[in-house]
Amino acid sequence: MRKVYLDHAATTPVHPEVLSLMQEFSSNTFGNPSSVHTFGREAKKYMEEARRRVADLIAAAPEEIYFTSGGTESDNIAIIGTAMARRTSGNHIITSAIEHHAVLETCEHLAKNGFEVTFLPVDKYGMVDPGDVAKEIRKETILVTIMHANNEIGTIQPIAEIGRITRERGVALHTDAVQTLAKIPVNVNDLGVEMLSLSAHKIYGPKGIGALYARKGTRLRPIMYGGGQERKLRSGTENTIGIVGFGKAAEVGLRDLETESTRVQILRDRLIRRVLAEIPSVTLNGHPEQRLPNNANFSIAYVEGESLVLSLDLDGVAVSSGSACSSGSLQPSHVLNALGLPHEMMHGSLRMTLGSANNEEDIDYAVEALKNITTRLRSFSPLTPPLQP
Ligand code: PLP
């Protein structure tokens, strides 16, 4: 059976060039980069080369890159680290209702510990209004944290516009760019951010490694204490093999960004066009233009997203749903909820995210499978009205 992986927003396969460098590094180099002897210095050389490559991906300076265990930890350091460093200046944080849980849960943790958090609403496309950010900033505001693009619906936020507002008002701005890296250009100066979160496993690098960009002079406290690695912001012996892989993934990602994004977007547009034309009662979630080139998120009426995911899996097609089955109840995602979708459209949501391994035949195979499964599932449901193709 054909296998079609359409879940690149969840994670990506490791790129062969990344794997090859990681193999070379781990066969020959094992030193602790903090050691002063030759073994340590050799590991450090690889690590600093990787830091430079990651910095290049976002147009930052290498000394502004702090390696972490991934996007989640980077978000935590940015938010809790800012809160701890600036708590004498204020206790107010602004974020959006559709952030990744790594941001939402961290903000909620702070809200239970003396901070005030404003969760901005989004429009029907999942877009934050920069005017709302300006309205909510007050003298106690110490941080605005808004993601660069949403992991479920792919909507790209107007971060550069928000950055102009936060700059003018003297408030730190953090963005979670985990989903945008190597898909659209990410330039920390154009965006006007003080902090930006990165993760390797979404860009064909290894899992468990990421970074936080923090602009020179940004006030941050660590959230972990120990040996003082990563210029005292992130203690713990560095994950050197992961860092080396991350560096290569960043280099390859930047090199191939334009050609790969264009190629994937053409496939994604074919997918959207065919699904909307050939399956009745389907809508596209997220912004029609301001969206990631590899993201398609559909609401398919009269079917459950979870049933679609499981049935597609049996046909070899890997996708994800916006309604996660947790503790026996089908809970629609907070993102789809914030868009104000009707109940039945939230429950029939399906996310398909494309990547390097996909070609036109994959897309056509997935569309045919989705068509057949939707027809079958709908035929079982007494709620399905007569539908016109
Ligand atoms: N932020 C966003 C937008 C994500 O999509 C993810 C991963 O799903 C994360 C953060 C978490 O990254 P990591 O898996 O590297 O901790």
Side-chain angles (χ1 to χ4, degrees):
M1 188 176 41
R2 197 181 184 103
K3 288 246 181 264
V4 180
Y5 185 75
L6 290 175
D7 203 13
H8 291 81
T11 198
T12 55
V14 175
H15 193 286
E17 288 181 55
V18 171
L19 195 59
S20 155
L21 184 65
M22 288 172 76
Q23 272 163 345
E24 175 200 310
F25 172 80
S26 54
S27 321
N28 303 316
T29 318
F30 69 90
N32 185 327
S34 296
S35 302
V36 293
H37 47 61
T38 318
F39 293 86
R41 288 205 309 274
E42 179 67 8
K44 191 169 164 99
K45 196 180 86 197
Y46 272 96
M47 186 168 84
E48 294 314 317
E49 177 63 15
R51 198 185 304 280
R52 189 188 57 72
R53 289 170 169 170
V54 171
D56 283 349
L57 180 61
I58 57 169
E63 60 275 18
E64 295 171 315
I65 301 296
Y66 299 85
F67 289 115
T68 66
S69 64
T72 302
E73 189 186 337
S74 302
D75 288 343
N76 272 262
I77 298 176
I79 298 166
I80 301 176
T82 301
M84 293 304 123
R86 294 181 183 236
R87 65 192 315 171
T88 51
S89 322
N91 70 341
H92 180 230
I93 294 167
I94 298 172
T95 187
S96 85
I98 63 161
E99 297 299 307
H100 188 271
H101 285 294
V103 167
L104 280 184
E105 298 286 322
T106 307
C107 287
E108 272 155 21
H109 162 71
L110 289 175
K112 288 188 197 117
N113 287 279
F115 288 84
E116 275 187 58
V117 182
T118 300
F119 296 92
L120 296 176
V122 290
D123 68 11
K124 65 177 177 176
Y125 298 127
M127 193 74 96
V128 171
D129 181 349
D132 286 347
V133 177
K135 255 187 265 158
E136 292 295 340
I137 292 179
R138 47 195 205 229
K139 70 175 192 325
E140 298 82 21
T141 310
I142 51 172
L143 176 69
V144 173
T145 171
I146 309 274
M147 70 203 315
H148 194 193
N150 185 268
N151 45 301
E152 288 185 39
I153 54 172
T155 300
I156 301 168
Q157 302 295 347
I159 298 299
E161 231 179 303
I162 294 170
R164 280 191 285 278
I165 295 165
T166 51
R167 283 257 152 123
E168 209 179 286
R169 307 283 290 272
V171 176
L173 175 62
H174 164 250
T175 194
D176 177 331
V178 166
Q179 292 290 342
T180 46
L181 294 169
K183 294 189 192 73
I184 59 172
V186 177
N187 180 315
V188 289
N189 300 312
D190 294 349
L191 292 175
V193 293
E194 274 67 46
M195 290 164 282
L196 182 142
S197 298
L198 308 91
S199 177
H201 74 102
K202 313 281 187 182
I203 61 163
Y204 308 94
K207 292 167 184 58
I209 183 72
L212 177 67
Y213 156 79
R215 189 179 291 280
K216 245 172 260 157
T218 300
R219 283 166 54 204
L220 272 173
R221 286 270 183 85
I223 60 171
M224 281 198 323
Y225 294 85
Q229 286 89 344
E230 294 298 290
R231 279 146 295 135
K232 296 198 164 59
L233 187 60
R234 205 282 186 171
S235 282
T237 301
E238 294 90 344
N239 171 3
T240 45
I241 182 165
I243 288 172
V244 165
F246 185 15
K248 192 67 184 174
E251 184 187 63
V252 172
L254 184 60
R255 182 192 73 198
D256 297 348
L257 192 150
E258 221 177 287
T259 44
E260 192 50 19
S261 286
T262 308
R263 190 189 73 84
V264 164
Q265 184 162 344
I266 291 169
L267 293 177
R268 192 278 314 269
D269 290 347
R270 179 183 182 89
L271 171 70
I272 293 179
R273 207 170 42 244
R274 283 203 60 191
V275 169
L276 294 182
E278 297 174 36
I279 306 177
S281 295
V282 176
T283 53
L284 180 71
N285 296 318
H287 200 282
E289 286 108 35
Q290 294 303 313
R291 73 184 301 136
L292 291 172
N294 71 330
N295 173 291
N297 187 307
F298 302 105
S299 274
I300 305 181
Y302 318 114
V303 287
E304 288 289 346
E306 290 287 295
S307 313
L308 286 171
V309 171
L310 296 174
S311 304
L312 282 167
D313 190 40
L314 291 176
D315 279 353
V317 182
V319 301
S320 77
S321 152
S323 55
C325 191
S326 59
S327 50
S329 69
L330 281 173
Q331 281 291 349
S333 87
H334 64 287
V335 177
L336 300 176
N337 229 332
L339 302 184
L341 292 188
H343 183 82
E344 66 279 11
M345 295 313 257
M346 277 198 280
H347 282 279
S349 85
L350 201 66
R351 180 186 73 176
M352 299 168 122
T353 45
L354 286 65
S356 66
N358 301 136
N359 58 29
E360 205 170 283
E361 289 79 55
D362 288 338
I363 300 308
D364 290 343
Y365 178 84
V367 173
E368 289 304 325
L370 183 61
K371 265 164 67 175
N372 294 335
I373 290 164
T374 304
T375 308
R376 195 174 71 237
L377 292 176
R378 281 175 171 173
S379 72
F380 299 148
S381 168
L383 298 175
T384 312
L387 298 165
Q388 296 300 318

